[in-house]
Amino acid sequence: AYGDKTFTAIMWGKIVAAHLVSSLRYDFLFQDVDVVWYKDPMTFFHDPTRREAEFDVLLQDDGARTRRFAPSSGNSGFFYARHNDRTWEFFTSRVMSANQVSRALSDQAVVAALLSEHATMYNLRLQTLAE
């Protein structure tokens, strides 16, 4: 159930998985298991002519417009990250956020706060994808 011990453990697993791939210095697409692709999405993310190529982290729009998920309204279950010093700092902070995730009962609000902090302090360039 949402927010129970098992749910929180799964959220922690997602955080660790993203951090491990980031530690290997790869650009990567992270998605929850309920996403199905009809064509290769990597051509979109790797196209240097697209405006999105300027950003460090591209997030799926979660649709939630509450303060809890502001300002990005990004979905922590779907994002693309380019490896660089800014994203390394973000994923390191994210893995250190275990206590906050446990208190919030979800990683999404914690990710929203960290994204805002890192955009301000470390110039992390993030964009919420259009539908």
Side-chain angles (χ1 to χ4, degrees):
Y2 180 85
D4 71 8
K5 223 175 192 181
T6 302
F7 182 87
T8 306
I10 291 169
M11 295 304 103
W12 178 241
K14 290 170 45 171
I15 291 167
V16 170
H19 185 276
L20 289 173
V21 175
S22 175
S23 297
L24 296 172
R25 300 181 178 174
Y26 287 110
D27 297 352
F28 66 97
L29 174 63
F30 180 91
Q31 65 185 47
D32 286 343
V33 296
D34 58 352
V35 175
V36 177
W37 290 101
Y38 294 110
K39 61 182 185 177
D40 182 5
M42 300 314 278
T43 55
F44 173 86
F45 294 114
H46 291 165
D47 184 349
T49 65
R50 297 190 66 85
R51 181 177 175 273
E52 290 83 3
E54 302 171 18
F55 297 98
D56 301 316
V57 179
L58 298 161
L59 302 133
Q60 175 187 10
D61 189 328
D62 187 64
R65 295 294 182 262
T66 63
R67 264 186 45 194
R68 185 175 184 195
F69 303 122
S72 68
S73 297
N75 186 327
S76 62
F78 182 99
F79 59 86
Y80 181 80
R82 300 180 201 289
H83 177 77
N84 56 42
D85 290 342
R86 293 178 297 273
T87 56
W88 169 249
E89 289 292 336
F90 168 70
F91 286 110
T92 299
S93 293
R94 191 172 177 222
V95 84
M96 299 297 198
S97 69
N99 289 339
Q100 294 169 355
V101 171
S102 293
R103 282 195 301 272
L105 304 179
S106 171
D107 69 323
Q108 196 141 314
V110 176
V111 166
L114 285 173
L115 285 169
S116 181
E117 175 184 328
H118 282 257
T120 303
M121 293 179 65
Y122 303 107
N123 197 32
L124 181 71
R125 300 170 302 181
L126 62 111
Q127 177 70 28
T128 304
L129 295 166
E131 191 176 307

